[in-house]
Amino acid sequence: MDFIVLVLNLAAAQGLLLSFFLYYKRKNHVPNLFIASYTLITSFVLFIFQFKDQGLYISVESIRYATFLLIYISGPLLYLYTKYLIGEKQQIDTSIIKHFAAIPVVIGIEMLSPNSVLYTLDHADELHPEDAFDQLYILEYILILSTIGYLLISFKKIWVFDGLALNLFSNMESANLNWLRNLLLLFSAFLFIHLIDTSLDYLQWDLKLSSYIMKLGFPVLIYVISYKALTQPEIFKELRTSELSMPLKQSYQSSGLKEDKAKQHVDRLLTFMEEEKPYLDCNLTIEDLAKSLGISRHHLTEVINKYLKKNFYEFVNEFRLEKVKTLLLDKSKTHITLVGIAFEAGFNSKTTFNTLFRKETGLTPTAFRKQHTN
């Protein structure tokens, strides 16, 4: 067994273990079921290719279409994972069935087609090269385009969520979906190559690009998910759904909040931030702050967005940055590391702290301290 075969088998086995881990993990959340199913399918496809290479299947075409049906279940699974992860829905219901309704239809058409795999196996000597599965190529194109559609919708949902999250969280680490965006990009790249390969295959230029990409790309997908599951398990937990029920498009015209009342809220908010320092809590959310002030979350968001011209993330982190500046200039704090000061001020990420501090001051924290203490 050569090294590549060993890596592929290990990746497939790891994918199976990860999928079971996500299925049966304590306090399992609905999104995990979809990403676990995706991982399981990816592992299964890898095993199929390994079995094919070892000559355990009599028909390359039967593997091709079994694999191709499995792959395109991935589109709905990744879409549903994204949808449930960002809190649009919390419980699985029968509406998800429609996303997989095409699968039995495709199988039925394939089995009834005179150009089907089953027919080919029984009548191989009667077929000519020009009878090369025209009907199935059309179906394959349809499913490729359908999967691309699911991925585009998933990208859009992440993009909308990124904007929404800025009015929900004061720290974005728990709401960072960059890894999922990268996973979708990787799968999109595979689809694009597979689309080219399918077109070339139809023209009888069999370069086997899809086979190579599956063998290289699918282990990467499995290892990416495994790495994130092990190093950042919080990404597989639902973000607090009560915080994600805010409408995606803010409209304050009909909120009922009058200007004089809004100004009172502004004064109360600023006083509360100065005196109570809620920003020191690294997990502070808009809901937490609204409850502390006794203001509805929608009105608080309106006050921050409309009257202070900021989103919640910017608003809270401005207070944290001012706290950091104070601590950096405090001679009694010189023994504390820069990271320690950042965490004391309410940040929970060194990278985020450094980025925001440099954007605010134009200096690194070290340069700022040195400049103001000399």
Side-chain angles (χ1 to χ4, degrees), residues 213-226:
I213 292 301
M214 284 185 194
K215 290 178 181 179
L216 294 173
F218 278 18
V220 172
L221 293 178
I222 289 174
Y223 283 123
V224 165
I225 297 173
S226 300

Side-chain angles (χ1 to χ4, degrees), residues 142-153:
I142 291 173
L143 285 179
I144 289 174
L145 294 175
S146 171
T147 305
I148 291 173
Y150 274 111
L151 294 177
L152 289 174
I153 295 172

Side-chain angles (χ1 to χ4, degrees), residues 135-201:
Q135 226 168 310
L136 288 177
Y137 276 110
I138 294 173
L139 284 174
E140 190 163 5
Y141 278 120
I142 291 173
L143 285 179
I144 289 174
L145 294 175
S146 171
T147 305
I148 291 173
Y150 274 111
L151 294 177
L152 289 174
I153 295 172
S154 299
F155 279 122
K156 182 179 179 181
K157 287 188 179 295
I158 293 174
W159 178 74
V160 171
F161 174 78
D162 285 343
L164 176 63
L166 292 173
N167 269 322
L168 296 173
F169 304 100
S170 62
N171 271 315
M172 297 298 293
E173 280 67 36
S174 62
N176 190 332
L177 299 183
N178 284 337
W179 76 274
L180 179 56
R181 186 184 288 104
N182 292 336
L183 178 67
L184 295 176
L185 282 172
L186 192 60
F187 191 70
S188 299
F190 161 72
L191 270 184
F192 179 71
I193 293 173
H194 186 54
L195 183 62
I196 295 174
D197 190 42
T198 300
S199 301
L200 294 176
D201 190 38

Side-chain angles (χ1 to χ4, degrees), residues 9 179 221 271 293:
N9 285 331
W179 76 274
L221 293 178
T271 300
L293 291 167

